[in-house]
Structures are given as C-alpha cells and as structure tokens.
Amino acid sequence: YAAAAGINSVVMVPKGTAASKIIQAHAYGATVVVVDGRFDYEVAALYKHAVAEFGWYDCVSSNPYRVGKKSYAYELVDQLADVPADWVIHPSAGGTGLVCMWQGFKEFLALGWIDRAPRLVAAQSEAAAPFVDAMVKGSLVIAAVEAREEWRGPLGLGGLGREAWMQQEHQREIRVAAGDGGQGGWIGA
C-alpha cells in the first residue's frame, strides 16, 4: 500500500524469515530491516521504538484503526454479484482479518445491500493455533504458544497469543466466528 501511495516504508523481520518474503517487500520498494531476534520480542521492541521515535504510522494488528481488511467482505460481495458466499475460510494469526471482514459484512447488512452474511471459519496451523484451540474449548482465554520451527521459519512468526492486543483480537475473533455459527479449524503442518 505504501508503494502504491508513493510513501517510503520500512519492513522489520526476524533473521531467518523466508527469502521470498524479503524479496517481495524489496520488490515493492520497502527498506527491509532484518533483526537478529525473535518476532515477538526483539523485532517488536525495535518496531515500537521506531514508531515512537520517528512518528511512523503504526500498521500492525494492534492499531485499532487498521480496518482495511474489511475490504475482503466488499470484494467478495462484489465478485459474487451481491450474493454472499455461504462460508468463508480465512487463515488467522493475530485475528484482525476475520474481525475486519465481519465488520465489512455488518456494514453491508446495515445498508440493506445483502440479506445475510456468510459463516466464517478461522484456520490456523496446528503448529501454532492458540485461537482455534481456545475456540474448540469454548474459551475466550488464549494460551500463548511458540510456533514450531517448521512453521515459524517460512512465516517469520514467533509465539502467538502473548501480547495483550493479540488476546483482545483473538477474543473478538472467537466472538465473530462463534457468534455467526462459524468455526475454527486446524491446517496440518
């Protein structure tokens, strides 16, 4: 998005992030900073410091104004000729995708542009699935997990469910998925 708007961007990733992810960010003009540390700790600390020090726009999931993912709902309704899908399966990490998509469907419902919203399914790798684990147990308590190496490496993710904002996002996601008859599910890894 920054490239499309002609804005400089900085992407911070932990050492060991898949080269394809780094190349993609470079291809769109980002300055990529590879940090010798874990995503949830050293990378997050550097990111928070840089946002405060340089006045950068905070574009991670903890930003309550980051709702662009609700356009998923808009695009689905548009591409399906105003007839919502019965189900939408969405990969989930921090929780914002499913929550924002549900916000988009709620807006269309309120405007009367659709008569129902699809049932939403949150999908997580069984290698790191704190949201799905909690949902299956019927709990809003998200247990922090450390992603297994074979999953963490390609995504550059560390533990999931640790930060307070992530707890809140996962709880919102559980309410969204469970509240509309949706589900959570694991994807084998």
Side-chain angles (χ1 to χ4, degrees):
Y1 298 114
I7 299 170
N8 293 330
S9 64
V10 176
V11 175
M12 297 179 186
V13 298
K15 184 177 178 181
T17 297
S20 60
K21 297 229 175 260
I22 294 171
I23 291 168
Q24 182 181 26
H26 273 298
Y28 282 99
T31 299
V32 179
V33 177
V34 178
V35 179
D36 188 11
R38 297 160 294 171
F39 183 81
D40 290 334
Y41 297 101
E42 293 83 6
V43 177
L46 180 61
Y47 171 81
K48 289 175 187 175
H49 178 77
V51 167
E53 178 74 19
F54 302 115
W56 291 349
Y57 176 74
D58 180 3
C59 65
V60 298
S61 299
S62 58
N63 180 341
Y65 304 106
R66 184 177 169 236
V67 294
K69 290 184 176 184
K70 70 182 176 179
S71 68
Y72 295 174
Y74 304 162
E75 292 172 28
L76 283 169
V77 170
D78 180 57
Q79 291 174 18
L80 295 173
D82 300 331
V83 178
D86 292 326
W87 290 84
V88 175
I89 300 171
H90 190 279
S92 177
T96 56
L98 201 71
V99 171
C100 291
M101 188 177 1
W102 179 244
Q103 289 173 341
F105 286 122
K106 282 189 348 188
E107 290 174 4
F108 275 16
L109 286 166
L111 291 167
W113 294 354
I114 58 174
D115 60 1
R116 63 174 177 77
R119 295 173 76 181
L120 304 178
V121 178
Q124 289 187 306
S125 164
E126 62 186 2
F131 162 70
V132 174
D133 289 341
M135 190 173 182
V136 168
K137 293 174 187 170
S139 174
L140 289 177
V141 178
I142 313 302
V145 298
E146 188 67 33
R148 293 193 315 250
E149 189 61 38
E150 70 271 16
W151 191 248
R152 178 178 51 239
L155 293 177
L157 292 176
L160 296 175
R162 259 190 208 96
E163 300 283 342
W165 64 265
M166 192 174 284
Q167 285 284 332
Q168 294 167 351
E169 286 302 309
H170 278 309
Q171 289 170 6
R172 288 173 57 200
E173 192 168 18
I174 288 172
R175 288 186 187 104
V176 164
D180 77 340
Q183 301 176 6
W186 297 276
I187 299 171

